[in-house]
Amino acid sequence: MIVWTVCGTLLLFVLMYVDSLFTRYHDLEEMKSGNLAVTIRLVLKLLAQAYILSSSISTSSRLGEALVVSVVSFVLLLILEGTVRLLLGKWGKLDLDHGTQQGKIGYGLFSGSLHIAGALIISAFL
């Protein structure tokens, strides 16, 4: 159990770091400056990734399998998020990254909720 927990925690850290590379701003710097919208988005993203990791661990008999499923799920979540962001930008003229960086809490909540919804959908297939 300790090995699974440590590996899961390390993977979660790596996935969150990789996710931060896809935003137009620096998550930690924005959080330090008090940007609540970025903090909300990051927390919801963390919950989504943890839920996927938890689901993959609970359905896998091998650690490697659980980690691979989590990484593949992360990639699927990135693709899903990118598609939704593209559609929102084109049809709704809504730039979630820009609004979140400006500190608009609704943008951060909406962006984070997309992660939660994606995680629930992906985890249903595990």
Side-chain angles (χ1 to χ4, degrees), residues 40-85:
I40 290 169
R41 180 202 173 272
L42 187 71
V43 168
L44 291 174
K45 175 69 176 185
L46 179 62
L47 286 172
Q49 288 302 116
Y51 185 77
I52 290 172
L53 182 60
S54 170
S55 296
S56 67
I57 287 173
S58 69
T59 59
S60 300
S61 58
R62 295 189 190 127
L63 177 60
E65 178 185 333
L67 297 178
V68 168
V69 167
S70 293
V71 170
V72 170
S73 297
F74 173 75
V75 171
L76 288 173
L77 192 56
L78 277 179
I79 292 169
L80 182 64
E81 177 191 10
T83 303
V84 170
R85 285 177 183 272

Side-chain angles (χ1 to χ4, degrees), residues 7-117:
C7 289
T9 302
L10 289 173
L11 178 65
L12 194 55
F13 175 78
V14 169
L15 294 178
M16 292 302 295
Y17 174 75
V18 170
D19 176 69
S20 73
L21 298 176
F22 287 94
T23 58
R24 296 182 201 155
Y25 50 85
H26 299 286
D27 292 330
L28 295 179
E29 293 301 319
E30 292 290 332
M31 287 174 49
K32 287 178 189 176
S33 69
N35 189 332
L36 188 57
V38 170
T39 304
I40 290 169
R41 180 202 173 272
L42 187 71
V43 168
L44 291 174
K45 175 69 176 185
L46 179 62
L47 286 172
Q49 288 302 116
Y51 185 77
I52 290 172
L53 182 60
S54 170
S55 296
S56 67
I57 287 173
S58 69
T59 59
S60 300
S61 58
R62 295 189 190 127
L63 177 60
E65 178 185 333
L67 297 178
V68 168
V69 167
S70 293
V71 170
V72 170
S73 297
F74 173 75
V75 171
L76 288 173
L77 192 56
L78 277 179
I79 292 169
L80 182 64
E81 177 191 10
T83 303
V84 170
R85 285 177 183 272
L86 181 69
L87 294 174
L88 284 173
K90 289 215 182 258
W91 292 337
K93 307 291 187 236
L94 191 65
D95 185 348
L96 291 178
D97 275 344
H98 184 67
T100 301
Q101 186 178 14
Q102 288 183 330
K104 295 179 179 177
I105 294 173
Y107 281 63
L109 277 170
F110 188 72
S111 182
S113 296
L114 291 175
H115 294 289
I116 297 291

